[in-house]
Amino acid sequence: MKSDLTVPVIGIVHSPFHEKFGIPRQPNLVQVPAIIEFNAPYDDALAFEGLGEFSHLWLIWSFHQNKADSQSPKKFRTQIRPPRLGGNQKLGVFASRSMYRPSELGLSVVKLVKVIRQNGKAKLLIRGADLLNGTPIVDIKPYIAYSDAIPEAKSGFAQAAPALLEVEWNIVASQQAQALIAQKLFDSEQQGLINELLALDPRPAYQDDANRVYGMRYRQVNVLFKISAGQVQVEAIQRIDKKEI
């Protein structure tokens, strides 16, 4: 039996997440926009005929920024610590969606907003992706509601949606956001999406320091915040120099 499988990279995701920190731990929790740009010959518009009839897609993609040695067969991780369980309880890797898995492949269902066609080529505008900017796409498949959606399915330790935190912006952060909006470097939709991301508590499960200031990068801004007693306090929002993007 063949032990290795080679698959093509058919496209790349362009998303507002330039760092892993802050990315939702599951797809569709926040309707963040992203674009999938395809490599030739997979960008041929003919390959996308009929796709616009579907509202959602399955994306098969690669965890391309894992540490190089994490996928070595000699270092196969049989167990991981899910953040949902506080980062302390161990479970088998195949009972999780951990990034440290033998195939390095991820699976996400996203909303298809539009198939963009130009000069015989196509790219996709999507929402709800939990993907880092530059993530390689291996394949896409249409989501079929009658077979893919199973209302009575059991979801183990993740049966219920995560609890949400309250998010507040202090005066300084609010003023900075308004200044960026006035300069057309930021907008109210982005601010709303940032609120939704922060409400999911992006911190590592093992960190609970009420005095620690965290930074979450989203597109061209860095959001500084603290979390205490179930509430997120946004301390500041800073523009990132274009050279860093």
Side-chain angles (χ1 to χ4, degrees):
M1 180 181 294
K2 187 177 180 181
S3 60
D4 294 320
L5 177 66
T6 300
V7 294
V9 173
I10 67 171
I12 298 293
V13 170
H14 299 286
S15 87
F17 300 116
H18 291 259
E19 297 175 346
K20 295 178 184 178
F21 185 77
I23 297 179
R25 294 187 174 97
Q26 303 295 342
N28 267 312
L29 293 179
V30 182
Q31 294 302 300
V32 172
I35 288 178
I36 303 176
E37 189 168 3
F38 294 90
N39 302 323
Y42 312 108
D43 58 350
D44 192 320
L46 293 176
F48 300 85
E49 287 296 325
L51 190 64
E53 304 286 326
F54 296 88
S55 66
H56 290 76
L57 305 173
W58 287 108
L59 304 181
I60 304 173
W61 47 276
S62 171
F63 289 102
H64 68 299
Q65 284 202 4
N66 281 356
K67 294 180 180 179
D69 64 352
S70 66
Q71 301 302 322
S72 168
K74 295 181 181 179
K75 296 186 178 182
F76 169 58
R77 299 188 182 189
T78 59
Q79 294 191 316
I80 51 84
R81 301 174 189 267
R84 189 68 177 274
L85 297 179
N88 295 316
Q89 183 176 337
K90 288 185 178 182
L91 284 182
V93 65
F94 296 126
S96 78
R97 297 190 179 188
S98 168
M99 67 182 72
Y100 297 108
R101 47 199 328 107
S103 67
E104 293 188 320
L105 295 180
L107 180 68
S108 297
V109 62
V110 298
K111 179 178 177 60
L112 174 61
V113 177
K114 186 178 182 180
V115 179
I116 303 170
R117 296 179 174 84
Q118 186 175 15
N119 299 324
K121 308 297 181 182
K123 54 186 177 181
L124 304 180
L125 175 60
I126 61 173
R127 280 189 178 267
D130 53 340
L131 304 175
L132 187 68
N133 186 59
T135 294
I137 299 296
V138 173
D139 203 354
I140 63 171
K141 296 177 184 291
Y143 179 93
I144 307 296
Y146 77 84
S147 63
D148 292 347
I150 306 175
E152 68 275 17
K154 293 182 179 180
S155 299
F157 63 88
Q159 186 67 30
L164 301 179
L165 305 179
E166 294 183 9
V167 180
E168 288 191 0
W169 293 56
N170 68 17
I171 294 177
V172 172
S174 296
Q175 291 175 341
Q176 291 172 334
Q178 289 304 311
L180 290 171
I181 290 173
Q183 298 173 56
K184 296 184 178 181
L185 301 172
F186 191 58
D187 58 46
S188 57
E189 181 189 11
Q190 291 177 36
Q191 188 170 9
L193 291 171
I194 286 171
N195 284 342
E196 293 184 50
L197 293 168
L198 293 176
L200 291 169
D201 193 351
R203 298 174 301 172
Y206 55 84
Q207 290 184 359
D208 190 23
D209 183 353
N211 295 315
R212 178 166 181 172
V213 177
Y214 298 87
M216 184 185 76
R217 182 173 174 178
Y218 184 90
R219 294 192 65 181
Q220 73 278 29
V221 298
N222 186 39
V223 183
L224 303 180
F225 64 95
K226 293 181 178 180
I227 297 182
S228 177
Q231 186 177 72
V232 182
Q233 180 74 32
V234 180
E235 302 282 313
I237 180 169
Q238 303 168 337
R239 180 186 177 188
I240 297 173
D241 192 288
K242 289 184 178 181
K243 295 179 181 179
E244 301 179 33
I245 300 176

